[in-house]
């Protein structure tokens, strides 16, 4: 897939601009959040420079597994200033998301510098901006900084006892591309979020001999679409309602739309759907898991407890010997080295604020894309971008 012209490095970033008024705003990360914010800043007349550590925009999307499609509709997944083409269909494929991001950067003529990784952000010596330490010994001074490095930044692997000595095939879901290498094999998928659920279905449909899905906490399962009505529409409608009310409304809807899978090891959750969302746990959007579990093609087993003598020990004491283990155990934000010293992260390593608000003791520092909204991540990034741009313009005096 060819890079768009905007994805190539147009020039070196400005280093130590002499006057605060001449300093650009640096956007760290060339994914959807970074690109949308850069466009919104330019629309306000603010010079925005996107710093992307890889060689191309949309790097994280390029690494996703092959069958991935958006669980949000095309119309509600576009970024500001450029609709997604109708030919992409209702549920946009991974490769089309990448094409869209390339086109977005090119269409808006965004200033993007690739191959530059920012390792640390701190106050500039004169106290009027921000100093960024980047690859090659670069020191870049910006009027403001927007961190858009992504929610799914660094693979997370639990510290399971014995895993380091496990000699069997083991990979994180971030390294999974498709089912072909696992055809005819026994595979254990660990983690029942959207990624784990979809990989399990992909393996079954791709010819794996046996697929087990290890579940620690039973997920809420929601149909991606019912009679043409996308679940995203409902999520948008209820997002501002009280958590308890949405929990109560969701229970009867779940019983109507999703069969009881208790006999297959997947009982209905005993906590509310929206309560889980507020804790950072998004429901599983069904793209085949319900039928696969009901038909016994995906077997639900207990969570992984440890690895011992070449076997995987489950929480119920069962020992299994799969040919391969795929850990769909999520990601961490990995912001500690970048901004951890600024007291802007909570106990879980997430920014204390997201969007147009800057941390109280770090004016001019903004974060985007570090929440898991029920209404769709791309939609919320698109909504946040102009708000962040407005806040930045006010902070830098260019409003």
């Amino acid at each position: 897939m060819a890079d768009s012209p905007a994805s190539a490095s147009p020039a070196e970033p400005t280093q130590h601009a002499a006057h605060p008024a001449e300093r650009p705003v640096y956007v760290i990360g060339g994914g959807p959040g970074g690109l949308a914010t850069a466009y919104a800043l330019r629309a306000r007349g603010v010079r925005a420079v996107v710093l992307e550590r890889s060689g191309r925009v949309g790097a994280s999307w390029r690494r996703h597994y092959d069958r991935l499609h958006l669980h949000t509709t095309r119309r509600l997944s576009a970024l500001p200033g450029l609709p997604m083409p109708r030919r992409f269909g209702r549920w946009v494929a991974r490769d089309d998301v990448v094409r869209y991001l390339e086109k977005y950067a090119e269409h808006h003529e965004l200033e993007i510098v690739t191959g530059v990784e920012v390792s640390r952000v701190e106050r500039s010596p004169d106290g009027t901006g921000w100093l960024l330490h980047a690859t090659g010994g670069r020191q870049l001074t910006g009027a403001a900084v927007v961190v858009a490095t992504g929610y799914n930044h660094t693979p997370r692997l639990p510290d399971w006892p014995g895993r380091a000595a496990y000699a069997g095939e083991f990979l994180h879901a971030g390294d999974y591309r498709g089912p072909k290498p696992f055809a005819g094999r026994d595979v254990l998928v660990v983690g029942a979020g959207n990624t784990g659920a979809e990989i399990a279905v992909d393996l079954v449909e791709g010819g794996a001999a046996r697929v087990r899905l290890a579940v620690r906490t039973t997920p809420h399962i929601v149909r991606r679409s019912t009679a043409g009505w996308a679940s995203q529409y409902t999520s948008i409608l209820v997002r501002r309602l009280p958590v308890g009310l949405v929990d109560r409304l969701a229970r009867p809807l779940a019983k109507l739309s999703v069969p009881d899978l208790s006999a297959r090891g997947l009982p209905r959750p005993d906590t509310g759907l929206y309560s889980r969302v507020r804790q950072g746990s998004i429901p599983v959007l069904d793209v085949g898991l319900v039928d696969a579990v009901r038909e016994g093609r995906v077997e639900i087993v207990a969570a992984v407890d440890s690895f011992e003598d070449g076997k995987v020990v489950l929480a119920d004491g069962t020992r299994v010997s799969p040919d391969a283990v795929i850990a769909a155990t999520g990601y961490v934000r990995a912001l500690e080295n970048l901004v951890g010293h600024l007291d802007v992260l909570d106990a879980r390593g997430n920014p204390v604020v997201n969007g147009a608000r800057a941390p109280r003791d770090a004016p001019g520092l903004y974060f985007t894309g570090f929440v898991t909204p029920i209404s769709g991540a791309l939609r919320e990034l698109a909504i946040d971008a102009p708000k962040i741009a407005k806040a930045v313009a006010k902070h830098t005096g260019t409003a």
Side-chain angles (χ1 to χ4, degrees):
M1 188 178 297
D3 289 332
S4 66
S7 297
S9 304
E12 283 295 299
T14 303
Q15 301 198 31
H16 292 304
H19 303 290
E22 299 174 357
R23 295 169 179 167
V25 173
Y26 284 112
V27 180
I28 306 175
L35 298 180
T37 302
Y39 161 71
L41 286 164
R42 283 200 56 183
R44 282 189 166 269
V46 178
R47 183 188 174 203
V49 179
V50 178
L51 303 176
E52 167 55 45
R53 67 174 179 168
S54 75
R56 301 177 287 184
V57 299
S60 65
W61 282 92
R62 299 173 192 273
R63 295 193 300 267
H64 287 311
Y65 46 92
D66 295 340
R67 75 170 277 150
L68 178 67
H69 285 68
L70 293 180
H71 291 162
T72 53
T73 65
R74 180 194 72 251
R75 188 173 63 84
L76 295 179
S77 300
L79 303 179
L82 186 68
M84 284 188 173
R86 290 179 61 88
R87 68 177 182 276
F88 285 178
R90 192 182 197 194
W91 312 108
V92 183
R94 177 204 62 187
D95 287 352
D96 285 332
V97 173
V98 172
R99 292 187 182 97
Y100 173 74
L101 295 177
E102 291 177 338
K103 182 64 177 179
Y104 191 86
E106 179 184 17
H107 177 79
H108 292 305
E109 298 180 339
L110 301 180
E111 189 173 351
I112 301 170
V113 184
T114 57
V116 175
E117 182 172 10
V118 180
S119 57
R120 184 179 175 90
V121 175
E122 59 188 30
R123 274 293 189 185
S124 60
D126 62 8
T128 61
W130 292 94
L131 179 64
L132 287 67
H133 298 268
T135 47
R138 297 176 180 87
Q139 293 188 352
L140 316 172
T141 306
V145 173
V146 181
V147 179
T149 50
Y151 194 84
N152 296 334
H153 186 275
T154 300
R156 172 187 174 273
L157 286 173
D159 188 20
W160 287 306
R163 187 184 69 81
Y166 180 66
E169 183 174 358
F170 182 97
L171 66 154
H172 187 272
D175 295 317
Y176 175 86
R177 293 295 173 269
K180 187 175 180 180
F182 305 96
R185 302 174 69 193
D186 181 338
V187 186
L188 173 66
V189 181
V190 185
N194 276 291
T195 297
E198 191 156 357
I199 287 176
V201 173
D202 196 34
L203 289 165
V204 165
E205 295 177 352
R210 184 178 189 180
V211 178
R212 284 173 283 202
L213 181 62
V215 178
R216 181 173 300 279
T217 303
T218 305
H220 284 276
I221 301 176
V222 177
R223 298 288 191 185
R224 185 172 66 175
S225 179
T226 303
W229 178 265
S231 64
Q232 184 185 16
Y233 300 157
T234 303
S235 299
I236 292 170
L237 291 174
V238 306
R239 191 181 179 204
R240 304 294 181 186
L241 295 178
V243 173
L245 176 60
V246 178
D247 284 348
R248 290 193 295 273
L249 292 173
R251 289 189 192 103
L253 290 176
K255 290 181 179 179
L256 286 172
S257 61
V258 178
D260 185 0
L261 300 173
S262 299
R264 292 290 185 177
L266 207 59
R268 298 189 190 279
D270 55 7
T271 54
L273 183 149
Y274 204 21
S275 294
R276 287 268 195 94
V277 171
R278 294 297 290 269
Q279 296 169 4
S281 179
I282 294 297
V284 169
L285 276 295
D286 179 45
V287 290
L289 180 68
V290 169
D291 287 343
V293 171
R294 182 169 52 184
E295 296 164 5
R297 293 180 294 140
V298 170
E299 303 170 45
I300 303 299
V301 298
V304 169
D305 183 69
S306 61
F307 292 76
E308 186 178 318
D309 297 330
K311 298 181 183 297
V312 183
V313 183
L314 305 180
D316 61 3
T318 303
R319 292 170 178 255
V320 296
S321 302
D323 298 319
V325 177
I326 301 174
T329 46
Y331 296 79
V332 294
R333 275 29 87 200
L335 293 170
E336 287 77 10
N337 291 336
L338 186 69
V339 296
H341 54 285
L342 298 172
D343 195 27
V344 295
L345 304 179
D346 63 20
R348 300 177 64 185
N350 296 318
V352 294
V353 294
N354 186 84
R357 292 175 54 206
R360 183 181 60 184
D361 296 326
L365 180 63
Y366 302 88
F367 297 87
T368 186
F370 293 97
V371 294
T372 53
I374 192 173
S375 50
L378 291 176
R379 176 180 181 271
E380 296 304 320
L381 288 173
I383 291 172
D384 279 347
K387 295 179 180 179
I388 294 171
K390 181 179 180 180
V392 170
K394 183 179 180 180
H395 172 75
T396 58
T398 55

